[in-house]
Amino acid sequence: VGLRLLAHAGVGLIAFNCTAVSTYSKPMEADIKKRIVAATGIKALATSEALVHALRILRAQKIVLLTPYLPEVNAREAAFLEREGFEVLAQTGLGLNTNAEMALLPPHTWVELGRKYRDERAQAYLVSCTAVRSAEVIDQLEEELERVVVTSNQAITWHCLREGGVADRVAGFGKLLCRH
């Protein structure tokens, strides 16, 4: 019912914005998008594909994965990224299980984790999860780590804008949005 309401609203694009679910597997990502299109007739995107496109356009092959997830979710996401051709140099999760817990994390959590898992071989740091607040620390992380930073919400926003024909550059949320 909710998807049909979006169709009536006249939106031009629908984003499925959940990293853990969309990175579960390529078939699951495809099925989610197919079901959205079938219910609405509107093009659909997923966070998983936004992350892959973002990392590729930034030419970031070697990444450090930072998440709030349980170990098994983290491992599954790292495996997804590796199947997509990325090298996950390090990955860590905070062991949280619910969106409510994840949403309570202060943005500075990601700065601390980035510092802790700093890796000179990394070409990017991926802060994965659409339930966490990270937008306000992307620029700080990029400056401190001297690497690009991609977050789930930043990537899906960028991907939707570009897919929707909006090429505006937006400062304040990392190199992805201000340069690409």
Side-chain angles (χ1 to χ4, degrees):
V1 173
L3 284 173
R4 289 186 207 100
L5 290 174
L6 284 174
H8 289 293
V11 300
L13 187 62
I14 297 174
F16 179 78
N17 198 28
C18 179
T19 314
V21 172
S22 64
T23 60
Y24 191 88
S25 70
K26 289 301 277 187
M28 182 176 283
E29 173 194 274
D31 183 58
I32 290 166
K33 290 169 45 177
K34 180 178 151 187
R35 291 186 321 178
I36 292 169
V37 172
T40 65
I42 298 169
K43 182 177 180 175
L45 304 175
T47 311
S48 50
E49 70 181 295
L51 291 172
V52 169
H53 286 291
L55 290 166
R56 287 185 179 149
I57 202 155
L58 291 165
R59 297 180 185 189
Q61 185 69 30
K62 297 177 180 186
I63 62 173
V64 172
L65 176 63
L66 309 172
T67 84
Y69 302 139
L70 296 168
E72 57 271 19
V73 178
N74 228 51
R76 189 174 59 234
E77 187 166 323
F80 172 88
L81 292 163
E82 289 173 353
R83 283 190 303 274
E84 289 294 319
F86 301 102
E87 182 180 351
V88 179
L89 299 172
Q91 51 106 347
T92 188
L94 297 175
L96 301 180
N97 192 34
T98 69
N99 285 339
E101 294 172 301
M102 295 171 195
L104 292 174
L105 292 170
H108 194 65
T109 301
W110 308 110
V111 175
E112 292 168 7
L113 270 183
R115 288 174 182 155
K116 183 176 179 180
Y117 287 89
R118 185 180 192 129
D119 188 324
E120 292 304 318
R121 300 170 299 160
Q123 296 167 317
Y125 288 78
L126 172 56
V127 177
S128 176
C129 183
T130 62
V132 301
R133 288 182 50 204
S134 57
E136 52 264 69
V137 296
I138 297 170
D139 281 349
Q140 179 184 351
L141 272 168
E142 286 188 340
E143 184 176 322
E144 284 192 32
L145 300 173
E146 300 176 328
R147 300 294 188 270
V148 294
V149 172
V150 174
T151 76
S152 294
N153 289 325
Q154 168 216 45
I156 194 69
T157 299
W158 167 80
H159 194 45
C160 286
L161 287 169
R162 299 312 177 253
E163 286 291 314
V166 178
D168 296 6
R169 304 298 189 237
V170 180
F173 302 99
K175 290 177 178 64
L176 177 65
L177 277 164
C178 76
R179 293 187 183 169
H180 301 279

